[in-house]
């Protein structure tokens, strides 16, 4: 019976995911449509100084190249059908298929994003739990300060400062990102090539900056959740029965606290990382999804924007679904019979 | 003012000098800023040091395309230029005479131009040698194709030009009317084409997508011996790499300086995309890259370091304070005497010295002092020395304005009895622009005029202030496009404005008659609605058709003198291009157009 409820719940959530994705992509499309096109304007002005060409003719040519001269409803239908069929089109600002652009970019985002997620999760939980079990001590204050520092400091500014310190003055890390350092001699990105010394060295600062931003929210959530259980009766009982501090921490505090904590994994953490990736990748010159998306927005490269919006949307929606399902595994008291 | 200093040669070089300030501003925002030549010279941990002959240029943005006829940005032009020289260059060391690359060009009458290709120009296999047939086919089918099916951005320039093959390696270009400056136009100098054998299948089917997506086009595999470098790889948003072309046709040329015969001097040339300005400059300082654009506030610091220098070359861009002559500007700006009076208010030297760090020269008319077309006879000074005078300005204003205007307690009062307030719109995002706008506000206050500043970003500037529409009664007399949609007494932009700062105007030092696009009544970029005197209109027309250079000089002298007198805008100053290089980079000099021979630049031993 429980499984049938779960199956029905998943089916409805997947259906809702499709609707939500459709809505988000539609909004994105129309925002792009309404956005002033600076790239074309730039070309028009350049063309004008190339001996008096007609700027309007240049604009019409560029719009025709990009299919932007058609009625908006035709463009919209085309884009939506293409997105659904994974025929994501051609990027006129990159001279390559959109799928290729995304495929080339995502490894660079993952190679600093995954370590940042893992580190911020582990460290955030550890510091949060420690802080909760040592409330109002100096170390708790220090951890809280660290958390708020990481949360408050602007990522892009922090990144530039670190670059100046460790790149320019100390010369410990490279100033600019070398995409080739992540590739093997054949030009492919492999696990081995990603773990090369040169690549790891250039990833240290991006991972650090991203982790400091993400660790704070995880640490604060962990601390708050754990505090709910630190003085709970069953924890007192466990202490009275002589359970070790480690057992109490892991089995009686962390386990119940982990259920609500898991909810922020997908939402807050991924949100922070996706948003931060725009700034991180621009500052560190990392040719990942953030920079791909940023440049596509600036150039009004609609096919690329749609694809780079779809990916985080998909990850967030599916991630939330997986997280909800994980509830039932982590906490047997939860089922989806009423939902 | 930000600039986009592409280093490449000829066409892309010229593109780098193009100058509507807005273009430069955009380049500063998300476009390409720079490039350079050189190789890393000191061993740091920042890459580029491994190979002495690897040159790394730092760029703020990536290119768009490698399809020559679709290129509209300087970065892409620079990419293609590394692998294809193009038609010919303009030699800045000899008054911009034609320096044959692929071809030589000459004319007797300014209407028919004879083009002769060099020997031994080879496309990659299987496309064979370059012939006149390639040129004529490319011009007629790509640039002049039906309905511009290929999307050529040069289509307008080639309209009416007849290309005629006269031999295997020679062809003529018949212009629809006399154009004595044709060989100096940027769509012709440094022009690249594609082999007929590659494009003809797509031409027949009008298949632009097929052509664009063809592997040989995407990776420039057809460029043969036609450029100093060969395409190696393009990692978008990361780097664009070319390697030395050992078969470069210049190695066999006996009519060029020796430095060309051994060029290029770098084994590899890389454009490294570094979007963030601080990172780019830090990389230059530590030797990670060899060149990048340096904004004026950072020039001194880069110059003060032992391992770097800034090459400050003059630009052909004038930075004006524009007046709105249209219906939604202060109606008195149509009065020449009022504009002349306003010219006395703003201290140009302070803007140049204090805000632009002395990088440039004061402007009084529409041609910089280094240009062969520059004149100073009969040019009046405004806003410098004794001609920067608030009292004089107020006196002249009072005399020029209608009687219902007047000064009271130092304030200029309008017909409604209130102080005259002008709206100054300026580009946002650039410290020097906003500071200058504030300075102009202070200067006008000294002359009793209140100024409201409105900072707007580039796209808003274009759509709300530069573009305008006919709003008059009756039939629209004429339209010169979206930025000049009719006579100034019936046309207005979407938002009201009186003064505008942040755009610069290209002065066309090689083709000066092109300046009419800003300063003739129906010029497509006369967005501010200036209606010149009949004399100036006639002179622009004569200048465009006069083949004799001395005669043309006299005409341009009259035009510049008249513009100086009429003050359609307040010509403030000419800025400098400020490219930073590692010290070992030898080649850049502080002259306009000096990058035309950058293929010969090298590292000092």
């Amino acid at each position: 019976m429980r499984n049938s409820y779960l199956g029905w719940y998943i089916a409805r959530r997947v259906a809702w995911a499709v609707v939500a994705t459709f809505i988000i992509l539609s909004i994105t499309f129309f925002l792009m449509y309404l956005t002033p096109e600076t790239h074309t304007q730039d070309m028009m002005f350049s063309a004008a100084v190339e001996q008096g060409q007609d700027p309007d003719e240049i604009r019409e040519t560029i719009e025709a190249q990009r299919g932007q001269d058609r009625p908006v409803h035709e463009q919209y239908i085309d884009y939506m059908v293409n997105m659904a069929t994974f025929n994501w089109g051609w990027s006129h600002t990159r001279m390559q298929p959109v799928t290729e652009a995304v495929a080339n970019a995502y490894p660079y985002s993952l190679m600093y994003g995954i370590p940042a997620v893992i580190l911020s999760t582990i460290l955030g939980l550890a510091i949060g739990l420690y802080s909760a079990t040592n409330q109002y001590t100096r170390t708790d204050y220090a951890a809280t300060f660290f958390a708020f520092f990481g949360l408050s400091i602007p990522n892009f500014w922090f990144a530039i400062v670190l670059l100046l310190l460790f790149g320019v003055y100390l010369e410990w890390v490279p100033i600019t990102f070398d995409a080739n350092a992540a590739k093997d001699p054949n030009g492919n990105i492999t696990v081995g090539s990603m773990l090369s010394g040169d690549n790891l060295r250039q990833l240290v600062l991006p991972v650090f900056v991203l982790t400091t931003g993400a660790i704070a929210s995880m640490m604060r959530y962990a601390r708050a959740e754990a505090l709910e259980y630190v003085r709970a009766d069953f924890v007192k009982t466990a202490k009275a029965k002589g359970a070790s501090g480690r057992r109490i921490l892991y089995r009686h505090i962390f386990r119940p606290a982990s259920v609500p904590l898991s909810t922020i994994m997908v939402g807050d953490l991924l949100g922070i990382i996706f948003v931060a990736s725009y700034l991180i990748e621009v500052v560190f010159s990392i040719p990942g999804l953030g920079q791909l998306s940023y440049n596509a927005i600036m150039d009004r490269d609609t096919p690329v924007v749609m694809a780079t919006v779809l990916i985080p949307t998909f990850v967030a929606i599916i991630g939330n679904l997986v997280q909800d399902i994980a509830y039932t595994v982590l906490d047997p008291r939860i089922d989806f019979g009423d939902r | 003012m930000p600039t986009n200093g592409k280093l490449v040669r000829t066409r892309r070089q010229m593109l780098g000098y193009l100058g509507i300030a807005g273009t430069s501003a955009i380049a500063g925002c998300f476009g390409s800023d720079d490039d350079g030549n050189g190789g890393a010279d000191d061993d740091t941990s920042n890459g580029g040091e491994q190979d002495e002959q690897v040159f790394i240029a730092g760029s703020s943005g990536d290119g768009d395309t490698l399809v020559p006829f679709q290129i509209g940005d300087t970065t892409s032009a620079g990419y293609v230029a590394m692998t294809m020289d193009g038609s010919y260059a303009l030699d800045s060391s000899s008054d911009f005479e034609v320096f044959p690359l692929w071809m030589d060009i000459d004319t007797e009458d300014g209407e028919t131009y004879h083009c002769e290709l060099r020997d031994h120009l080879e496309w990659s296999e299987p496309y064979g040698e370059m012939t006149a047939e390639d040129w004529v086919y490319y011009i007629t089918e790509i640039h002049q194709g039906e309905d511009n099916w290929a999307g050529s951005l040069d289509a307008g320039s080639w309209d009416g030009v007849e290309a005629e093959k006269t031999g295997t390696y020679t062809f003529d270009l018949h212009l629809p009317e006399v154009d004595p400056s044709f060989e100096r136009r940027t769509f012709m100098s440094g022009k690249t084409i594609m082999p007929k054998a590659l494009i003809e299948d797509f031409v027949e089917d009008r298949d632009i997508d097929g052509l664009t997506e063809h592997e040989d086009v995407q990776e420039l595999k057809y460029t043969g011996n036609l450029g100093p470098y060969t395409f190696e790889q393009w990692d978008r948003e990361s780097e664009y790499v070319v390697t030395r072309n050992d078969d470069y046709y210049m190695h066999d040329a006996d009519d060029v300086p020796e430095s060309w015969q051994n060029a290029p001097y770098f084994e590899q040339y890389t454009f490294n995309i570094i979007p963030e300005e601080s990172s780019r400059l830090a990389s230059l300082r530590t030797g990670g890259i060899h060149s990048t654009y340096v904004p004026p506030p950072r020039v001194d610091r880069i110059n003060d370091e032992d391992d770097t220098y800034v090459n400050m070359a003059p630009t052909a861009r004038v930075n004006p304070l524009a007046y709105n002559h249209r219906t939604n500007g202060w109606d008195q700006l149509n009065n020449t005497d009022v504009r002349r009076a306003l010219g006395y208010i703003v201290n140009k030297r302070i803007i140049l010295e204090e805000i632009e760090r002395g990088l440039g020269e004061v402007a009084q008319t529409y041609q910089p002092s280094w240009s062969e077309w520059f004149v100073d006879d009969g040019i009046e000074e405004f806003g410098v020395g004794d001609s920067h005078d608030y009292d004089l300005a107020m006196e002249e204003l009072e005399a020029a304005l209608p009687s219902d205007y007047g000064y009271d307690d130092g304030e200029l009062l309008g017909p409604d009895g209130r102080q005259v307030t002008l709206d100054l719109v300026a580009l946002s995002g650039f410290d020097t622009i906003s500071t200058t706008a504030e300075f102009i506000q202070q200067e006008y206050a000294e002359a009793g005029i209140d100024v409201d500043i409105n900072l707007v970003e580039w796209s808003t500037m274009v759509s709300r202030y530069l573009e305008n529409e006919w709003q008059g009664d009756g039939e629209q007399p004429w339209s010169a496009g979206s930025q000049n949609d009719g006579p100034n007494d019936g046309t207005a932009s979407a938002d009201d404005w009186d003064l505008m700062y942040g755009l610069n105007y290209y002065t066309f030092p090689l083709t000066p008659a092109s300046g009419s696009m800003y300063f003739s009544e129906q010029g497509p970029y006369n967005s501010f609605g200036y209606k010149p005197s009949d004399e100036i209109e006639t002179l622009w027309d004569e200048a465009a058709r006069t083949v004799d250079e001395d005669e043309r000089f006299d005409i341009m002298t009259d035009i510049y003198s008249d513009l100086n007198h009429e003050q359609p805008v307040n010509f403030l100053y000419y800025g400098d291009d400020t490219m930073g290089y590692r010290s070992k980079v030898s080649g850049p000099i502080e002259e306009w157009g000096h990058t035309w021979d950058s293929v010969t630049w090298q590292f000092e031993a």
Side-chain angles (χ1 to χ4, degrees):
Chain A
M1 192 64 180
R2 177 183 165 87
N3 284 343
S4 65
Y5 284 141
L6 184 59
W8 174 235
Y9 175 75
I10 291 173
R12 282 192 300 164
R13 286 295 300 268
V14 168
W16 170 241
V18 172
V19 173
T21 304
F22 173 79
I23 293 170
I24 290 170
L25 288 178
S26 297
I27 292 171
T28 303
F29 173 85
F30 286 107
L31 285 176
M32 291 299 295
Y33 182 78
L34 295 172
T35 302
E37 222 294 49
T38 55
H39 194 77
T40 301
Q41 289 163 354
D42 191 21
M43 285 189 176
M44 287 168 59
F45 273 79
S46 294
V49 283
E50 280 193 82
Q51 311 308 320
Q53 294 188 36
D54 182 343
D56 296 326
E57 191 176 299
I58 298 291
R59 173 156 55 190
E60 287 167 12
T61 300
I62 294 169
E63 287 178 351
Q65 280 175 11
R66 301 179 178 185
Q68 293 169 347
D69 56 340
R70 296 172 301 152
V72 62
H73 68 275
E74 282 185 23
Q75 295 181 49
Y76 172 70
I77 292 170
D78 270 7
Y79 276 118
M80 297 309 284
V81 170
N82 288 344
M83 295 308 292
T85 56
F86 291 92
N87 173 23
W88 291 354
W90 182 265
S91 166
H92 288 283
T93 64
R94 301 172 61 87
M95 198 186 169
Q96 65 181 167
V98 173
T99 49
E100 187 179 322
V102 171
N104 290 342
Y106 87 87
Y108 293 106
S109 294
L110 293 184
M111 68 179 68
Y112 73 89
I114 288 177
V117 169
I118 294 172
L119 282 174
S120 54
T121 303
I122 294 174
L123 292 175
L125 286 175
I127 296 172
L129 289 174
Y130 179 85
S131 194
T133 53
N134 296 274
Q135 195 180 14
Y136 303 135
T137 63
R138 285 184 180 177
T139 47
D140 178 31
Y141 288 130
T144 303
F145 172 80
F146 176 71
F148 279 107
F149 176 81
L151 198 61
S152 307
I153 194 165
N155 269 338
F156 71 95
W157 181 80
F158 192 37
I160 291 171
V161 169
L162 292 177
L163 264 181
L164 285 173
L165 179 60
F166 294 104
V168 176
Y169 296 110
L170 298 175
E171 298 185 5
W172 291 355
V173 297
I175 300 293
T176 58
F177 190 86
D178 178 10
N180 290 322
K183 295 176 179 174
D184 65 17
N186 297 321
N188 300 317
I189 297 177
T190 64
V191 174
S193 63
M194 281 193 289
L195 295 176
S196 69
D198 284 346
N199 194 43
L200 292 178
R201 208 153 59 96
Q202 66 183 356
L203 289 174
V204 167
L205 290 187
V207 169
F208 182 73
V209 172
L210 200 52
T211 301
T212 54
I215 200 174
S217 61
M218 177 59 80
M219 177 263 172
R220 294 301 299 169
Y221 278 122
R223 182 179 183 276
E225 287 298 329
L227 278 174
E228 283 190 26
Y229 299 101
V230 165
R231 294 187 184 84
D233 288 342
F234 58 87
V235 171
K236 290 177 184 172
T237 303
K239 283 182 182 172
K241 290 169 70 176
S244 68
R246 179 174 296 181
R247 181 182 176 85
I248 291 170
L249 183 63
Y250 289 122
R251 297 205 53 153
H252 300 289
I253 297 177
F254 177 63
R255 187 172 176 185
S258 66
V259 176
L261 277 178
S262 67
T263 65
I264 71 164
M265 283 294 294
V266 171
D268 288 28
L269 209 54
L270 284 180
I272 288 170
I273 288 170
F274 274 123
V275 172
S277 70
Y278 281 76
L279 301 171
I280 295 288
E281 292 183 7
V282 169
V283 173
F284 289 105
S285 318
I286 300 173
L289 288 171
Q291 195 173 151
L292 174 67
S293 186
Y294 172 80
N295 287 328
I297 292 169
M298 297 304 292
D299 294 343
R300 211 183 130 195
D301 189 340
T302 305
V304 176
V305 173
M306 297 290 273
T308 53
V309 166
L310 178 65
I311 291 170
T313 301
F314 180 80
V315 169
I317 289 176
I318 297 302
N320 274 295
L321 176 61
V322 171
Q323 153 202 301
D324 284 354
I325 295 168
Y327 273 10
T328 62
V329 178
L330 290 168
D331 190 342
R333 296 169 298 179
I334 298 174
D335 68 39
F336 298 97
D338 299 330
R339 304 180 68 175
Chain B
M1 176 67 86
T3 62
N4 43 352
K6 293 283 103 177
L7 157 144
V8 269
R9 287 145 292 118
T10 58
R11 179 167 185 268
R12 35 289 191 194
Q13 158 210 0
M14 300 308 296
L15 279 167
Y17 284 101
L18 295 183
I20 292 172
T23 309
S24 306
I26 287 300
C29 287
F30 60 82
S32 53
D33 273 342
D34 45 293
D35 56 2
N37 294 352
D41 46 34
D42 46 9
D43 62 341
T44 73
S45 57
N46 296 305
E49 317 299 326
Q50 305 90 333
D51 190 330
E52 273 295 301
Q53 295 306 321
V54 174
F55 186 90
I56 305 174
S59 176
S60 65
D62 205 354
D64 287 347
T65 179
L66 300 180
V67 181
F69 55 84
Q70 291 185 345
I71 289 175
D73 65 296
T74 55
T75 311
S76 302
Y79 287 176
V80 172
M82 305 306 284
T83 56
M84 289 197 287
D85 272 345
S87 54
Y88 52 82
L90 298 170
D91 184 349
S92 67
S93 64
S94 62
D95 293 333
F96 298 96
E97 291 300 315
V98 168
F99 180 92
L101 295 170
W102 291 352
M103 69 161 69
D104 200 357
I105 185 170
D106 66 68
T107 184
E108 292 89 35
D109 58 6
E111 195 165 5
T112 296
Y113 283 79
H114 311 292
C115 304
E116 181 174 1
L117 295 175
R118 194 183 277 279
D119 292 337
H120 310 306
L121 297 176
E122 299 284 344
W123 302 107
S124 306
E125 288 304 325
Y127 303 118
E129 67 174 341
M130 177 189 288
T131 66
E133 180 69 22
D134 289 315
W135 279 85
V136 173
Y137 188 79
Y138 189 84
I139 291 169
T140 54
E141 298 296 340
I142 297 295
H143 294 313
Q144 300 174 334
E146 188 179 358
D147 297 330
N148 194 12
W149 68 274
S152 166
L153 295 182
D154 282 343
S157 300
W158 287 98
D159 195 22
V161 178
E162 182 191 345
E164 179 193 10
K165 180 182 167 186
T166 55
T168 306
Y169 305 107
T170 57
F171 62 98
D172 284 351
L173 297 172
H174 304 283
L175 310 189
E177 54 189 16
V178 170
D179 181 356
S181 300
F182 178 77
E183 82 277 11
R184 288 182 160 194
R185 297 200 184 279
T186 50
F187 75 90
M188 189 56 205
S189 66
K191 175 153 199 62
T192 57
I193 64 168
M194 299 165 80
K196 177 184 176 185
L198 168 61
I199 62 178
E200 61 185 345
D201 288 345
F202 303 103
V203 168
E204 287 173 9
D205 299 334
R206 298 290 189 259
D207 180 10
I208 186 58
D209 290 340
L211 176 59
T212 304
E213 295 169 21
H214 192 284
E215 184 183 2
D216 287 1
V217 177
Q218 284 215 55
E219 298 185 2
L220 292 172
K221 287 184 174 177
Y222 59 88
T223 59
N225 72 347
L226 301 172
Y229 295 94
T230 302
F231 176 90
E232 182 70 23
Q233 70 179 61
W234 183 14
D235 289 340
R236 272 74 166 181
E237 317 296 354
S238 179
E239 64 177 10
Y240 180 85
V241 182
V242 292
T243 53
R244 188 176 192 275
N245 186 351
D246 293 330
D247 298 325
Y248 185 32
Y249 70 93
M250 278 294 185
H251 297 168
D252 299 324
D254 55 10
D255 60 340
V256 296
E258 191 178 332
S259 58
W260 281 84
Q261 294 172 350
N262 300 316
Y265 296 90
F266 306 121
E267 288 301 319
Q268 181 178 303
Y269 197 113
T270 299
F271 293 85
N272 202 341
I273 315 302
I274 310 171
E276 211 287 313
E277 182 181 277
S278 301
S279 304
R280 226 164 35 242
L281 293 174
S283 192
L284 176 68
R285 293 169 58 201
T286 56
I289 59 176
H290 301 94
S291 71
T292 195
Y293 166 73
V294 178
R298 305 287 194 94
V299 165
D300 287 344
R301 182 166 188 183
I302 297 295
N303 259 338
D304 288 345
E305 299 202 7
D306 292 337
D307 296 328
T308 56
Y309 69 97
V310 178
N311 190 67
M312 291 174 282
T315 71
R317 294 186 286 266
V318 64
N319 293 268
L321 173 64
Y323 303 124
N324 186 1
H325 301 239
R326 297 188 185 278
T327 56
N328 62 342
W330 183 34
D331 57 357
Q332 297 306 311
L333 291 172
N334 264 320
N335 182 334
T336 299
D337 291 335
V338 169
R339 294 195 303 270
R340 288 172 54 83
L342 294 176
Y344 298 125
I345 296 176
V346 180
N347 190 326
K348 300 176 182 181
R349 203 164 293 287
I350 286 188
I351 293 176
L352 182 65
E353 299 296 335
E354 305 299 329
I355 302 175
E356 295 293 331
R357 315 289 173 112
L359 301 171
E361 63 172 331
V362 163
Q364 293 296 352
T365 185
Y366 183 51
Q367 200 66 201
S369 64
W370 50 263
S371 164
E372 61 181 299
W373 303 96
F374 174 73
V375 292
D376 54 4
D377 285 347
I379 298 296
E380 297 174 71
E381 290 198 332
F382 292 87
V384 293
D386 293 341
S387 67
H388 171 241
D389 188 330
Y390 307 125
D391 293 334
L392 175 61
M394 293 160 74
E395 191 179 307
E396 295 284 325
L397 273 174
E398 206 154 25
L401 288 167
S403 58
D404 48 359
Y405 283 89
Y407 274 96
D408 180 32
D409 196 22
E411 292 185 352
L412 178 62
L413 305 182
D416 58 359
R418 303 163 78 175
Q419 186 179 17
V420 171
T421 299
L422 302 181
D423 293 321
L424 167 59
V425 59
L427 267 184
S428 63
F430 303 96
D431 290 344
T432 52
I433 291 178
S434 55
T435 304
T436 303
E438 288 170 10
F439 176 71
I440 291 169
Q441 182 184 44
Q442 292 167 18
E443 292 282 77
Y444 271 65
E446 294 288 340
I449 300 172
D450 186 33
V451 169
D452 284 341
I453 297 174
N454 182 18
L455 295 175
V456 300
E457 54 107 28
W458 168 245
S459 59
T460 304
M461 178 76 92
V462 173
S463 61
R464 307 296 298 180
Y465 298 96
L466 292 178
E467 294 183 346
N468 47 74
E469 286 186 352
W470 171 251
Q471 299 174 349
D473 298 328
E475 190 177 345
Q476 183 172 354
W478 52 265
S479 172
S482 59
Q483 299 209 26
N484 188 6
D485 200 31
N488 63 8
D489 57 0
T491 313
S493 55
D495 290 342
D496 296 348
W497 62 280
D498 301 306
L499 311 172
M500 180 182 289
Y501 182 72
L503 301 187
N504 54 42
Y505 300 160
Y506 191 57
T507 56
F508 302 95
L510 301 183
T511 57
S514 301
S516 62
M517 71 170 63
Y518 299 115
F519 295 110
S520 74
E521 185 183 17
Q522 297 190 30
Y525 281 83
N526 180 3
S527 54
F528 50 100
Y530 167 55
K531 187 176 189 310
S533 64
D534 291 344
E535 180 193 344
I536 293 183
E537 289 286 15
T538 305
L539 289 171
W540 280 124
D541 197 46
E542 284 180 19
R545 287 165 181 75
T546 301
V547 178
D548 184 85
E549 287 234 346
D550 291 337
E551 200 176 325
R552 197 147 41 113
F553 182 83
D554 290 341
I555 295 171
M556 294 313 302
T557 298
D558 290 343
I559 290 176
Y560 296 141
S561 177
D562 286 351
L563 289 177
N564 165 257
H565 176 80
E566 293 205 357
Q567 293 284 297
V569 300
N570 186 348
F571 300 101
L572 295 177
Y573 68 95
Y574 299 93
D576 277 351
D577 270 336
T578 48
M579 285 292 294
Y581 295 95
R582 297 293 293 174
S583 298
K584 70 187 295 183
V585 178
S586 169
I589 57 174
E590 296 187 336
E591 283 183 5
W592 181 77
H594 69 284
T595 56
W596 75 277
D597 63 349
S598 59
V599 69
T600 65
W601 294 4
Q602 50 195 296
F603 294 138
E604 287 176 349

